[in-house]
Every structure is written in structure tokens, then in C-alpha cells.
Amino acid sequence: MREYIGRAVRRLTGTRQATIDTIEPGSIMVAPRRPIDRFDVGAITEVLDLATKIGAVLLDSGTGAIDTSSQIRFVASIYGVEDVDVDVTYNTIVVVARRGATLPPITTMQTVHYRSLDFTRLAAVDRLVRRIRDSAITPSTAHRIVDQIIAAKHPYPYSVSTFAWGLMASGISVLLGGDVVVALLAWVTTVVTVTFNRRLNRIGTPIFFQQVAGGFIAVVPAALVYELGQKTGLEALSITPSQVIAAGIVVLLSGLSLVGSVQDAITGAPITGVARFFELLLMTGGIIAGVGIGLRLMSSVGIYLPTITTSTEFAPVDVPIRVAAGAVAAFAFALASYAERRALPIAFLGGLIGAGVASITVFLPVGDVIAGGLAATCVGLVGGLLARRALVPPLVVAIAGITPLLPGLAVYRALYGVLNDQTLTGLTWMAAALGVGCALAAGVTLGEFVARTLRRPRLPVAPDWARRRREARAARRRW
């Protein structure tokens, strides 16, 4: 049995390492090229420009500032430019190559224009860095490859991504206790939201107002269906609007850099972390404004949503359904973010782990913050090991795994309390939502750190007395 367990663990973790693991000090697998002549300005500039482009794609995909800096230095050192300084801020990358005390340094800068999440682009750059490490391809070839990666279209059509966003909302609504009608309504609402926001983005509408529109759309269909069910008495339309609205809020929150902001603050990039976190708060404020406008509009026409209970309870028999819903939501988020096909099963397992741990801890007296932190730590650890096994960037699994656990219902409860003269209750729920979000990001960062330091775990060797006892029992069974 011990042999089979050890074999399973080895298959799970394997011997593969993530790209970021292999570029840590002392872990470069190939010797760097001969240093470039410090008088060759063109060659140094070409290498710095390549490293900066790679760093821009990483930062755009949500990679932390420290990891981005490490990979930029690694690419430069592979091509022989070793004395470099890298400064990564919120949306700017500056790389400086020093050429001694008598020559001026060479500087390149890249401004990062954040676009929609595309995990395929992140995986392609990850493979390019591996190719640079293993094959030491020429800078001109690497330039051509990275330009193709940046200019490439999404691997899936918009219709597939839109359907996946709706599927993610359906999974989250079921995770919150909804039925088939709630899941269908969440799907329709999210598809409308994504389609409308995509059109707003094409005409250059700021992201804040896109979040306002998304929060507004999340409220109106749920309120109308709820009012229709109350007037007609149809049991099928007797839904819980908060489940639909919370699912829409989670979808709007999912694309924000929660993990990256907290990871930057923890790992030593506080300026970038604060900037990302402020953007996160601003975008969350847009969602709150949209939801608030929707609630006020509905109340002005005589549609009042039901009072929200202080807790969401469910029976132990519902745990498998909730866990499956969380896994589907993580899978759908990865698909909506254009992850590669081989990353989708890993994202599914990450969501399965996160939702499973979160569902079990509900029955323990640990609280939502600790429960979210434990679930995220397990996602970061196990998901990180699985990602290394499949040669998938661990960031894909981390973000997809914790997305179903985002505190969308807590945000809605906070806003509902503030709008209904329950200011203390609203502020309490807002603090709870903030605490859960930070716990998720910190937990997945911790799990990823452990996975990064874990290479190939071995089961402890049994003591001699235990081995002799097993041999004696086996001999008695033979006799």
C-alpha cells in the first residue's frame, strides 16, 4: 500500500518545475551565453527590449511584480546581460543595463495596457521562456515569437467565452444554494452583462462605468422575475434574488487582480500592491454603485426585494452538489479567460478542491475568513503541484480555483444593509467581504509558495520494528 501511495504522490507532483521555479538563484539549467560586449549598444538594446516585452505580457496577465522582475532578469542574463536593474510598477516596466562607471547605462521602458484576460497568451510566453532557457534561441527569433504571441487572436470565439461566463454564474448560483431556475436566470443575466460590457469596451468606455452597468443588469432581471413569481403565485418563479445578484457580482469581481495585489504586498512590492488594490476597490465601488442604482430603481416602481438572512445554511447532503458547482464555475472561468485545453481539467480540480474545503469548513466553528484562507491555501498547494505536472502556469489554477469563493453575497448583503438603514450591519458585511477576499489571496499565495519549494515529496521510511512486524505477519499468513 505504501508503494502505491508513494507512486500516486510522485505522479501528482512529478519532477517538473514551473518556469519561475527554474529561474531562482542557482537553478539555471543552462549556462548563460558569453556576456555581450558593453560597447555593443544595439545587441544590449535588443535583449532588453525582448525581456521587457515578455515582462509586459506577464504583468498584463496578473503575474506579481516580483515574479515578473525575476523572469525579466533571467531572460536578460541568458543572453549575457547580467548587470541589470528592473523596476516593475503598476503599469510600467523599466529595465536598465549598467555598462560600468565610464559608459552611460542603456534603458528600455514598456507601458502595460491591460486587456481582457487571455491565459493562452500567458502559457505561450511561459513556453517561450522555457525555450530560451533550454535552447538559447537567438534574440531575433525570440522577438518574432513574442510579437506573434502579442498579436495573436483569442483561441476561442467570443460566443464560447460568453457562454462560459454564463456557465460560471450558474455554477456560483448553485454553490450559493440556488435551483435550476436560479441557475438559468443567472446564466441569462450574465450573458447579457458580458455582451453589453463588451460593446461598451469597444467604444472606449472606462472600466468603472462598465462595472456600474454590470451591477445594474445583475439586479433588474432577478427583481422582475421575483415580482412576477409573487404576483402569479408560480412556485417555479419563487426564487431568491440575492443568489442571482451575488453570482453576477462574483463574475464582475473575477477579472480583477485580487491575487496579484495581495501577492505584491506580501512579497515586497508594496507600491504596486497598493495601486492594484486601489483599482480593485474602485472597480468594486462601481459594482456597488450599479447594484445600488438597480435596487433604488426597483423600489421606486414598487418592487421590493426580500430581506436577506444573516447566514446561508445548507444540509450536509447538499455538499456534493455545492462542490460540483464550484468545480464547474472554476472550469467555466478558465474557459472564459481563454485558457488552454490542458489547463481546463486542472482548473476544474482546483475549483473542486477549493469548494470542497470551503463546504466542509462551514460545519466547523472557524468563520468565513479562516475557511476562505484554508480553502485558498489548499488550492494554491495542490493546484500548483498539478499545474507543474501539466506544465500550466500556476497562476491559471490559482485564480480559477478561488474565483467561486469570492464574497459576492457578502458584498450584496453589505449594500442591502446600507440602503435599508442598517448601516452597522452593512459595514460589518463589507468588512467581512474585504477580509474574505484578502484571506483568499493570502492563502493561495501561501499555498503557491509551499508548492514552489516542494519538489518531489517522499513518504517517511518506516522504522525497523514496523518492517519486522509486517514481515512476521506475512510469514504467518503464508503458513
Side-chain angles (χ1 to χ4, degrees):
M1 178 60 68
R2 176 176 173 273
E3 179 182 356
Y4 290 113
I5 296 176
R7 187 182 304 171
V9 172
R10 288 191 295 272
R11 287 190 176 185
L12 175 65
T13 60
T15 58
R16 294 175 175 173
Q17 299 171 309
T19 302
I20 188 62
D21 297 342
T22 61
I23 65 178
E24 294 176 350
S27 60
I28 298 179
M29 298 180 63
V30 296
R33 293 185 173 189
R34 184 178 58 185
I36 299 176
D37 186 1
R38 61 178 182 166
F39 294 99
D40 194 345
V41 178
I44 296 177
T45 304
E46 183 182 28
V47 171
L48 294 186
D49 186 62
L50 171 64
T52 307
K53 283 183 179 179
I54 291 176
V57 176
L58 296 173
L59 192 65
D60 174 58
S61 302
T63 304
I66 300 301
D67 287 348
T68 301
S69 301
S70 299
Q71 299 209 38
I72 291 174
R73 289 192 182 92
F74 171 74
V75 172
S77 65
I78 281 291
Y79 289 112
V81 183
E82 297 183 351
D83 191 6
V84 296
D85 292 330
V86 181
D87 183 23
V88 178
T89 57
Y90 170 67
N91 63 345
T92 305
I93 298 176
V94 178
V95 183
V96 180
R98 300 185 181 277
R99 299 190 296 161
T102 59
L103 294 175
I106 298 176
T107 304
T108 59
M109 186 184 75
Q110 179 83 24
T111 300
V112 180
H113 301 283
Y114 289 95
R115 299 170 289 179
S116 59
L117 280 178
D118 190 336
F119 287 144
T120 297
R121 188 183 300 120
L122 176 63
V125 169
D126 187 85
R127 285 193 296 271
L128 174 60
V129 175
R130 286 179 175 272
R131 187 175 175 185
I132 292 173
R133 180 201 66 192
D134 297 333
S135 304
I137 58 178
T138 62
S140 59
T141 302
H143 263 287
R144 185 175 66 254
I145 295 175
V146 75
D147 289 338
Q148 293 174 354
I149 293 173
I150 295 173
K153 296 182 179 180
H154 295 308
Y156 311 128
Y158 286 132
S159 57
V160 174
S161 176
T162 303
F163 175 83
W165 284 119
L167 180 62
M168 172 186 166
S170 299
I172 293 172
S173 65
V174 175
L175 181 64
L176 297 175
D179 54 11
V180 177
V181 177
V182 171
L184 180 60
L185 183 59
W187 185 88
V188 174
T189 302
T190 302
V191 168
V192 173
T193 300
V194 172
T195 303
F196 184 73
N197 280 355
R198 187 173 287 137
R199 293 186 179 274
L200 291 179
N201 186 60
R202 288 177 181 174
I203 62 176
T205 306
I207 184 69
F208 176 82
F209 298 106
Q210 296 181 33
Q211 297 290 88
V212 173
F216 178 80
I217 297 174
V219 173
V220 176
L224 294 178
V225 172
Y226 172 77
E227 183 67 13
L228 181 62
Q230 293 296 310
K231 290 183 177 180
T232 60
L234 294 177
E235 185 177 354
L237 299 180
S238 299
I239 65 171
T240 303
S242 60
Q243 296 168 346
V244 179
I245 298 173
I249 291 175
V250 171
V251 171
L252 294 172
L253 288 173
S254 60
L256 304 181
S257 55
L258 174 65
V259 176
S261 62
V262 176
Q263 184 180 16
D264 286 338
I266 292 176
T267 56
I271 296 178
T272 306
V274 169
R276 284 186 171 184
F277 195 72
F278 179 77
E279 182 196 38
L280 174 67
L281 293 179
L282 185 63
M283 298 302 102
T284 305
I287 298 173
I288 293 174
V291 173
I293 294 173
L295 292 176
R296 288 301 187 188
L297 179 62
M298 292 297 101
S299 61
S300 66
V301 297
I303 300 177
Y304 298 93
L305 299 184
T307 303
I308 305 176
T309 57
T310 57
S311 62
T312 303
E313 298 181 356
F314 59 94
V317 71
D318 297 329
V319 170
I321 298 177
R322 290 170 57 89
V323 172
V328 170
F331 170 88
F333 173 77
L335 180 62
S337 301
Y338 305 103
E340 292 182 317
R341 292 182 180 179
R342 62 178 172 181
L344 298 179
I346 308 300
F348 181 88
L349 290 177
L352 190 73
I353 295 168
V357 175
S359 299
I360 293 175
T361 52
V362 168
F363 302 100
L364 301 176
V366 295
D368 294 338
V369 176
I370 298 179
L374 291 175
T377 303
C378 294
V379 170
L381 174 59
V382 182
L385 295 176
L386 291 173
R388 285 159 171 78
R389 180 67 182 176
L391 286 181
V392 175
L395 181 66
V396 178
V397 183
I399 297 179
I402 69 169
T403 292
L405 307 178
L406 291 175
L409 189 58
V411 172
Y412 176 62
R413 284 172 174 168
L415 181 60
Y416 186 90
V418 171
L419 294 178
N420 289 274
D421 298 328
Q422 301 174 7
T423 306
L424 181 59
T425 302
L427 294 178
T428 301
W429 277 111
M430 185 58 67
L434 182 62
V436 171
C438 292
L440 290 175
V444 78
T445 302
L446 175 61
E448 169 62 20
F449 173 77
V450 176
R452 181 176 298 179
T453 58
L454 189 62
R455 292 294 178 262
R456 189 170 181 174
R458 298 179 179 179
L459 295 178
V461 179
D464 293 338
W465 62 267
R467 180 176 53 80
R468 289 193 298 267
R469 179 179 296 179
R470 286 198 304 269
E471 293 175 353
R473 289 178 179 175
R476 287 195 297 270
R477 283 196 296 269
R478 285 195 300 268
W479 286 102

